[in-house]
Amino acid sequence: LPLGGIARLAVEVLDALSAAHGKGIVHRDLKPDNIFVTPSGRPKVLDFGIAKLSDLGAGSATKTGSLLGTPHYMSPEQAAGRTVDHRADVYAMGVILFEAMTGQKPFLAESLFDLLRKHVEVPPPPPRSLRPDLPVELESVIVMALAKAPEHRFASAQAMSVALQHATSQLGA
């Protein structure tokens, strides 16, 4: 897909996530299989099967020690079995954008343990090393979404959506 088309779809998914997060719902298993694009070209976020209502006061969506989600798209805190919040979905969107823009997932491993360890400890390769025509601003959005520490990611899906729109405003749809 052209970069502008991917970005447009991602913005709409981020807006849907923002609405869910606003209701205190964290998806926790966001991945390409859970994003359906309708014949008219609109994405729909599916399968909130492991979604959890967060305690808006505490910001916790999953109890510590539980491991739920799809390993390739898990945030470092999910991979480590720690408490997650809406920023786990932001991380998953970073993985999805990385994959959509470069054609490969940021982390590959032969075992589940090694894959989860990479999410927790290893920085992703620079997206432009895999796709040199990727605009620097767009790479920055992906890299920030993939920050290991939740507090270094976008504060919300809406903030990521705004940054993505700004980074891709010169690209065609």
Side-chain angles (χ1 to χ4, degrees):
L1 290 173
L3 296 176
I6 296 168
R8 182 189 60 78
L9 290 170
V11 163
E12 290 187 40
V13 170
L14 286 162
D15 291 346
L17 287 175
S18 182
H21 295 165
K23 302 263 187 225
I25 300 169
V26 180
H27 192 287
R28 300 189 308 170
D29 193 25
L30 193 64
K31 58 188 174 184
D33 287 351
N34 288 341
I35 300 170
F36 174 76
V37 180
T38 67
S40 66
R42 300 288 312 264
K44 303 287 183 186
V45 179
L46 307 175
D47 196 4
F48 280 80
I50 68 166
K52 178 107 174 155
L53 284 173
S54 65
D55 175 351
L56 293 176
S60 171
T62 308
K63 71 177 192 167
T64 303
S66 62
L67 186 65
L68 296 170
T70 302
H72 281 289
Y73 303 92
M74 276 187 183
S75 67
E77 58 274 21
Q78 271 178 295
R82 295 190 308 260
T83 302
V84 302
D85 63 18
H86 62 280
R87 294 170 296 186
D89 289 344
V90 169
Y91 183 90
M93 274 304 299
V95 175
I96 291 167
L97 274 176
F98 186 103
E99 184 177 9
M101 299 287 184
T102 68
Q104 72 178 52
K105 293 173 179 69
F107 303 110
L108 298 171
E110 296 206 9
S111 72
L112 176 60
F113 175 82
D114 287 337
L115 178 61
L116 296 177
R117 185 186 56 73
K118 285 181 177 185
H119 277 293
V120 174
E121 299 174 358
V122 178
R128 287 173 45 88
S129 70
L130 301 168
R131 185 166 183 176
D133 67 326
L134 197 69
V136 173
E137 299 82 9
L138 181 50
E139 179 181 58
S140 295
V141 170
I142 296 168
V143 169
M144 186 169 177
L146 291 175
K148 299 297 180 193
E151 61 273 13
H152 294 145
R153 289 180 212 138
F154 293 97
S156 66
Q158 187 60 40
M160 184 176 175
S161 175
V162 169
L164 183 57
Q165 289 175 66
H166 178 71
T168 59
S169 63
Q170 301 303 315
L171 298 176

